[in-house]
Amino acid sequence: MKPLDRPLGPGPWVSDDAKQKWKTPTEPRRFRGWTIVCHVPQDSPLLSHVDDVMDCLHHDAVPGTWSYQPANSLHMTIFPGLAERDLQNPETLPKWLTAAEDILAINRECLRRIEAASLPPVGPLSVRSEGLGLSKGEVRGELSLPEEDQRKRVAAFRDAVRTALEWAPEGHEDYRFHLTFAYRLKQPDPPSGDSLDVHSEVEKYVPQGTLFDLEAPAFYVIDSMVSFPPILRF
């Protein structure tokens, strides 16, 4: 496997996100909450490379190293919502919520506020790949919105959601759009990594500059990383 030609970033090999979302490479954990995302359409040319990416990730790796993200769940997050784990940190919640509230009740109230706000429409999006991120704990494609009109629509929409909820997640202003292919579930042994990392191999299948379309964003209720049905389309 070709070594990575640039160093990976700081952080753990196995993230808290990975531990909370995946039990085994093919079995997700319960991870309830809500989010607003754009799915990759099922007829997208990008999906023709997903099997190649998965083969690349799992061919040379120790079994169990990477999660298997189903192609039909690939998405770009527009506005990260709330998850059950957030209830452990009351200071991060909207002021009108309390940690004592059930996540299902929180989902309903957030949806009610968003519906009542008559948010500006967004519609389908066209995105550009900016190469793979350098996280040790996941393989993710960094994305951008190349068209100014789309950037304005998405920015206005994200701000309108923040206004409707009187809340936004930490990092809202600096949020970077991305598409996660897999989470690392095992630390490499030995834990050195450029030569053990697969980022540069995966990048061949989604090179920088690749353009592809996404479905219009929707409010999704999350049960796990492979089960989050759309409730409201924007």
Side-chain angles (χ1 to χ4, degrees):
M1 182 176 294
K2 184 179 74 173
L4 200 65
D5 60 3
R6 55 203 190 281
L8 294 175
W13 287 103
V14 181
S15 68
D16 287 341
D17 250 11
K19 295 173 185 176
Q20 292 168 3
K21 293 177 177 178
W22 291 93
K23 182 177 181 180
T24 71
T26 57
E27 183 181 357
R29 295 185 186 276
R30 198 86 182 271
F31 190 80
R32 299 190 301 173
W34 68 270
T35 187
I36 297 176
V37 308
C38 300
H39 262 94
V40 177
Q42 291 305 290
D43 60 353
S44 171
L46 176 67
L47 296 187
S48 66
H49 296 300
V50 171
D51 286 344
D52 295 324
V53 170
M54 290 298 120
D55 287 346
C56 176
L57 286 173
H58 296 281
H59 182 265
D60 291 332
V62 174
T65 297
W66 297 100
S67 65
Y68 281 90
Q69 188 75 29
N72 63 8
S73 69
L74 289 178
H75 61 273
M76 181 184 86
T77 301
I78 290 287
F79 191 97
L82 289 162
E84 203 161 22
R85 65 181 179 184
D86 297 320
L87 304 187
Q88 301 171 17
N89 300 295
E91 68 278 4
T92 68
L93 299 174
K95 300 302 182 186
W96 44 268
L97 286 183
T98 69
E101 294 191 65
D102 177 81
I103 189 62
L104 300 182
I106 291 172
N107 289 348
R108 289 193 296 269
E109 177 60 17
C110 289
L111 177 59
R112 186 194 69 78
R113 288 173 175 253
I114 287 172
E115 282 188 294
S118 299
L119 301 182
V122 179
L125 297 173
S126 176
V127 297
R128 169 189 159 100
S129 169
E130 299 299 342
L132 261 65
L134 298 179
S135 167
K136 292 177 181 176
E138 61 185 272
V139 173
R140 62 192 278 178
E142 303 288 348
L143 303 176
S144 67
L145 298 167
E147 298 177 12
E148 183 177 3
D149 175 63
Q150 291 190 139
R151 289 196 297 270
K152 289 180 177 178
R153 292 204 317 270
V154 170
F157 176 82
R158 282 168 44 80
D159 287 342
V161 174
R162 175 171 57 180
T163 299
L165 298 177
E166 303 174 52
W167 170 86
E170 184 179 355
H172 175 78
E173 298 294 344
D174 302 317
Y175 189 75
R176 299 185 67 175
F177 299 121
H178 62 275
L179 187 155
T180 298
F181 288 104
Y183 290 91
R184 187 188 292 272
L185 305 181
K186 283 186 178 181
Q187 178 170 306
D189 185 20
S192 65
D194 284 5
S195 62
L196 297 172
D197 195 81
V198 296
H199 288 64
S200 57
E201 291 294 308
V202 171
E203 202 163 42
K204 294 190 304 185
Y205 300 109
V206 193
Q208 186 169 1
T210 301
L211 297 172
F212 57 94
D213 295 331
L214 297 173
E215 294 177 355
F219 182 104
Y220 287 80
V221 172
I222 308 169
D223 189 66
S224 75
M225 292 307 293
V226 300
S227 177
F228 43 106
I231 304 298
L232 178 64
R233 187 78 61 183
F234 304 103

